Amino acid sequence: AQRVTQPEKLLSVFKGAPVELKCNYSYSGSPELFWYVQYSRQRLQLLLRHISRESIKGFTADLNKGETSFHLKKPFAQEEDSAMYYCALSGYGGSQGNLIFGKGTKLSVKP
Amino acid sequence: NAGVTQTPKFQVLKTGQSMTLQCAQDMNHEYMSWYRQDPGMGLRLIHYSVGAGITDQGEVPNGYNVSRSTTEDFPLRLLSAAPSQTSVYFCASSRDRINYGYTFGSGTRLTVV
């Protein structure tokens, strides 16, 4: 079965503290992993793609196939990082190319 | 490029009414999808299309209908609105679903009373 699990509904940190948003997945095949961000009442925006191995707004994410994880990390959180974060996967297998989303983690960065 | 455009932004319906949520993209993307976003549920796929004339059901298709007569447009029809369809609806498009992800519209906030 295809599934994305984000175990934390809410993560609250202080400005300047490190952040790690957890994402675990199960997928029958070789998935591509993504992180999307949604600022208050705005559209979802693509933050990171596993395949590009890039760093956006200071965020990075590493795919760990052994642990089936794709955690999102940032060494020093900023107040403007406060948003809803969704981990998602896609692939040619069970999802038929469609995005399967986790339930999201709300990140709150306090001053 | 306007990207993905959704109309209307807000809508209130009475139970039993029907309506169409509009979605248009100007990026010549083959793939388009409709999702609904509910608190604590994340985003769930309603219907999707891999090209003009081809549509298929997602995870939660009941009560919704779609068609794809052109590459640009992918309207979502609510046949007989129910309070359970109160949600935020997002349309998304992609040129290559696997590697590039999706571009999302700004959403339609629908309330059914």
Side-chain angles (χ1 to χ4, degrees), chain A residues 21-84:
Chain A
L21 290 86
K22 291 183 168 37
C23 172
N24 290 90
Y25 67 90
S26 63
Y27 191 72
S28 55
S30 182
E32 295 301 330
L33 276 298
F34 304 87
W35 277 99
Y36 282 82
V37 61
Q38 186 180 30
Y39 300 101
S40 181
R41 299 230 166 186
Q42 294 187 24
R43 71 183 71 197
L44 276 81
Q45 303 172 37
L46 180 62
L47 181 63
L48 283 178
R49 296 178 291 154
H50 145 245
I51 194 171
S52 62
R53 300 183 182 277
E54 58 202 343
S55 173
I56 303 293
K57 298 184 179 182
F59 285 98
T60 59
D62 291 318
L63 179 62
N64 186 324
K65 292 186 177 180
E67 296 183 358
T68 59
S69 68
F70 189 57
H71 303 327
L72 184 68
K73 300 177 182 179
K74 186 170 183 177
F76 307 104
Q78 303 299 315
E79 290 181 67
E80 56 264 30
D81 296 329
S82 295
M84 196 75 179

Side-chain angles (χ1 to χ4, degrees), chain B residues 5-94:
Chain B
T5 302
Q6 288 184 240
T7 56
K9 292 191 183 302
F10 302 94
Q11 184 70 49
V12 179
L13 286 179
K14 293 183 179 179
T15 298
Q17 287 185 317
S18 63
M19 80 159 294
T20 299
L21 308 186
Q22 301 291 343
C23 175
Q25 52 93 7
D26 61 358
M27 297 172 284
N28 201 32
H29 287 172
E30 289 295 322
Y31 306 102
M32 296 187 75
S33 302
W34 276 102
Y35 289 86
R36 59 178 289 173
Q37 182 183 41
D38 301 291
M41 301 295 291
L43 283 91
R44 294 179 291 170
L45 182 65
I46 305 171
H47 284 285
Y48 65 98
S49 170
V50 299
I54 306 170
T55 64
D56 206 344
Q57 296 181 351
E59 180 185 355
V60 288
N62 291 342
Y64 307 95
N65 212 349
V66 292
S67 60
R68 185 95 180 271
S69 57
T70 66
T71 299
E72 294 77 21
D73 300 299
F74 191 43
L76 177 72
R77 297 183 188 84
L78 278 71
L79 308 173
S80 177
S84 61
Q85 293 179 304
T86 293
S87 186
V88 181
Y89 292 85
F90 287 99
C91 179
S93 74
S94 178

